[in-house]
Amino acid sequence: MKIYKYVLGTDGDVVSYKGKFRDVLSVGISNGNPCVWIENDEEEYDKKISIVPLGTGWGVDDILEGWKYLGTLTIDGYVWHYYYYMETKLTKEIEKLSNLLFGEVKN
């Protein structure tokens, strides 16, 4: 197992990475950039991790269902709250089954 650092944004846009991820460890600042540290394990199967920074006071009622809180950073006077979602093979299979049973949900 190895731990890798991935650079994040601060603009509210989702950043996604794909790899043999085991666990999301923490969020912090490295060389002036917001980053996330993730455990990678060659024994794992490929997963996609999506991470979004949301500013204090932003409305987040429905958009974070299923997402996990990662941490909060203050950058240049702005406070960003980071959330992540790890998509697995099972996640995709559940979505396919749900679409078959109930039809595709469109927002």
Side-chain angles (χ1 to χ4, degrees):
M1 177 183 59
K2 295 180 181 179
I3 297 173
Y4 290 107
K5 174 180 74 175
Y6 301 88
V7 176
L8 301 173
T10 57
D11 53 9
D13 289 335
V14 176
V15 174
S16 296
Y17 293 101
K18 193 170 189 180
K20 296 184 178 296
F21 302 130
R22 182 177 187 174
D23 196 13
V24 180
L25 299 177
S26 67
V27 65
I29 302 290
S30 178
N31 298 321
N33 296 309
C35 297
V36 63
W37 284 265
I38 302 174
E39 288 181 345
N40 289 259
D41 188 342
E42 289 302 313
E43 300 293 319
E44 294 285 332
Y45 54 86
D46 281 335
K47 298 173 187 167
K48 178 181 169 186
I49 292 180
S50 298
I51 302 170
V52 62
L54 300 172
T56 297
W58 291 16
V60 297
D61 294 339
D62 296 328
I63 58 175
L64 293 178
E65 186 174 331
W67 291 64
K68 294 182 181 178
Y69 174 73
L70 181 56
T72 296
L73 299 176
T74 301
I75 303 166
D76 296 328
Y78 293 96
V79 179
W80 298 99
H81 310 280
Y82 288 84
Y83 291 82
Y84 75 96
Y85 182 82
M86 187 179 302
E87 182 179 288
T88 65
K89 288 181 182 179
L90 183 58
T91 306
K92 287 188 172 215
E93 293 304 317
I94 290 171
E95 183 178 335
K96 286 179 190 175
L97 180 59
S98 177
N99 288 340
L100 284 172
L101 294 173
F102 306 108
E104 190 170 344
V105 177
K106 298 190 183 203
N107 294 330

